Amino acid sequence: MKLEHLQEAFNQFNHNSKFLSHSELASGHINDTYLVKTSAGINYVLQRINHGVFKNVPGLISNKVNVSKHLQKKLAYLPKYELNRKVLSFVETTNGDYYYTDAEGNYWNLMVYIDNSITFETVTSADVAYEGGKLIGGFLNLTSDFDASKLSEVIPKFHDMPFRFSQFEDALKVASEERIEKAKEYIDLVWSLKDEMHIIQNLKESGDIKLRVTHNDTKISNVLFDTDNKGLCVIDTDTVMPGVVHYDFGDAIRTICNSAAEDETDLDKVNFNLEYYKAYTKGFLEQVESVLTPTELKYLPLGAKTMIFIIALRFLTDYLNGDIYFKTKYPEHNLDRAKNQFKLIESMTQKMDVYSN
Ligand code: GN1
Ligand code: MG
């Protein structure tokens, strides 16, 4: 992205400050995100939303702005400084919208950067896992009185298992022989787990598990911590939509309990950390157990396995499709991510068996 484009987009927003410099925050796989430093000392996060992936950007923006406003109200008792570190603040454009569309049709949004904060790609202490659990459980608790039907479904069927299977089947029809051959072992694994991976979906469809406001992308790199490793804020609320609690419980486990990054290629390094699972679950339940039903609680561990699986399936599908969805750095990046996630499922299954027996 050219500097002029970033500056032009930044200047549409109501911040009364001058663009000094920028750097890319490159950990996301979909949007383009930049840290913008300004003359006023307040820094911002400028984001170009990928409108190929998110077809309804105005809906996405209104979802996340409304959820932030809800959280701000619920936490209004906090001192202002603290509140601004615990909830994302979106900045309006000079026209009073929360997004700007440039001449090329790109959508931009701006939020205040939370200073002195850090994120983790992998977790290296049970305390961080516990803090992550508290924040994600807290997010679900604080949004439990937000009417989920008021949210746009910005990516329809985002965590819908039959939908992800049908995309996988379509990809198998168009994949090159070479890619099918390289992925064979994992394609077989997908089929072998099919029934078990539909259990949560079936409970959702039967109404035994209810729809709530969920974040839907609770990987640990979407949680901000302060410099003492205390949890601050859940970020990247682009995919806030109606969903089941298992999505958010599970996607966090997927990243917190992986002893390696999600694209680590040395699979001996990819192991499920049961200590972190317990610490995360403790923090999570402290915050949200009171609003969950016995059925929701019972299926949390399966929710974790299901979320690791669905992301593995999506990486594998994207590999078969020739890498059209996730940003990749090299030709087998998606296959490596899928292998990593399947190894994590294997390790989780072993460790959880020992734990629950
Ligand atoms: C994508 O863009 P990012 O990195 O926040 C993806 C998530 C996946 C994640 C895997 C809209 O999230 O669903 O879990 O990659 N987001 C979208 O790291 O597809
Ligand atoms: Mg995201």
Side-chain angles (χ1 to χ4, degrees), residues 51-112:
H51 59 276
V53 165
F54 293 104
K55 312 277 185 217
N56 175 7
V57 179
L60 172 155
I61 300 285
S62 104
N63 280 356
K64 63 182 184 178
V65 168
N66 288 333
V67 165
S68 259
K69 287 185 175 165
H70 179 85
L71 295 173
Q72 275 153 0
K73 263 193 218 142
K74 304 270 308 205
L75 298 177
Y77 61 89
L78 292 172
K80 191 124 187 75
Y81 171 78
E82 213 180 309
L83 179 65
N84 289 339
R85 295 177 69 70
K86 298 217 150 159
V87 185
L88 293 175
S89 314
F90 293 93
V91 182
E92 289 179 57
T93 63
T94 47
N95 295 333
D97 298 320
Y98 281 98
Y99 65 93
Y100 163 65
T101 319
D102 69 19
E104 284 157 26
N106 291 307
Y107 290 88
W108 298 87
N109 76 126
L110 188 75
M111 66 213 113
V112 178

Side-chain angles (χ1 to χ4, degrees), residues 44 50 59 127 173 204 262 274 277 284 328:
Y44 293 88
N50 180 333
D127 289 341
K173 290 179 203 145
K204 181 181 125 188
E262 100 189 338
L274 194 56
Y277 176 87
F284 182 86
T328 50

Side-chain angles (χ1 to χ4, degrees), residues 53-283:
V53 165
F54 293 104
K55 312 277 185 217
N56 175 7
V57 179
L60 172 155
I61 300 285
S62 104
N63 280 356
K64 63 182 184 178
V65 168
N66 288 333
V67 165
S68 259
K69 287 185 175 165
H70 179 85
L71 295 173
Q72 275 153 0
K73 263 193 218 142
K74 304 270 308 205
L75 298 177
Y77 61 89
L78 292 172
K80 191 124 187 75
Y81 171 78
E82 213 180 309
L83 179 65
N84 289 339
R85 295 177 69 70
K86 298 217 150 159
V87 185
L88 293 175
S89 314
F90 293 93
V91 182
E92 289 179 57
T93 63
T94 47
N95 295 333
D97 298 320
Y98 281 98
Y99 65 93
Y100 163 65
T101 319
D102 69 19
E104 284 157 26
N106 291 307
Y107 290 88
W108 298 87
N109 76 126
L110 188 75
M111 66 213 113
V112 178
Y113 177 72
I114 300 175
D115 272 321
N116 298 316
S117 62
I118 50 172
T119 53
F120 295 93
E121 292 293 324
T122 50
V123 170
T124 48
S125 86
D127 289 341
V128 169
Y130 171 73
E131 287 290 319
K134 279 209 309 197
L135 266 193
I136 289 163
F139 179 88
L140 289 163
N141 188 350
L142 291 168
T143 54
S144 63
D145 59 347
F146 186 105
D147 182 356
S149 69
K150 297 234 155 67
L151 294 173
S152 306
E153 213 184 338
V154 288
I155 301 185
K157 302 191 175 202
F158 191 49
H159 291 318
D160 183 280
M161 197 59 82
F163 173 63
R164 295 304 182 187
F165 264 87
S166 78
Q167 288 187 316
F168 169 66
E169 287 178 55
D170 290 346
L172 286 172
K173 290 179 203 145
V174 299
S176 68
E177 266 175 41
E178 188 204 338
R179 286 201 173 208
I180 297 228
E181 189 49 40
K182 286 198 169 137
K184 172 124 197 3
E185 185 184 340
Y186 303 95
I187 296 171
D188 293 345
L189 252 175
V190 167
W191 293 124
S192 70
L193 287 165
K194 184 173 180 188
D195 288 346
E196 187 190 10
M197 294 299 104
H198 278 75
I199 294 174
I200 303 258
Q201 174 83 28
N202 295 340
L203 289 164
K204 181 181 125 188
E205 283 172 15
S206 64
D208 289 308
I209 296 180
K210 73 166 198 164
L211 287 181
R212 325 174 146 273
V213 174
T214 49
H215 178 288
N216 297 305
D217 189 13
T218 51
K219 57 183 180 184
I220 192 62
S221 55
N222 280 338
V223 175
L224 285 191
F225 291 81
D226 69 15
T227 45
D228 296 322
N229 290 354
K230 293 282 176 235
L232 281 176
C233 178
V234 179
I235 59 170
D236 189 6
T237 43
D238 293 351
T239 48
V240 161
M241 276 182 281
V244 297
V245 61
H246 305 84
Y247 299 161
D248 287 359
F249 177 78
D251 198 36
I253 298 283
R254 179 180 78 80
T255 45
I256 289 173
C257 300
N258 191 341
S259 54
E262 100 189 338
D263 60 354
E264 171 61 55
T265 52
D266 179 354
L267 298 185
D268 289 338
K269 291 190 181 148
V270 177
N271 290 300
F272 187 82
N273 189 317
L274 194 56
E275 186 200 353
Y276 295 177
Y277 176 87
K278 292 182 199 165
Y280 169 82
T281 304
K282 181 170 182 288

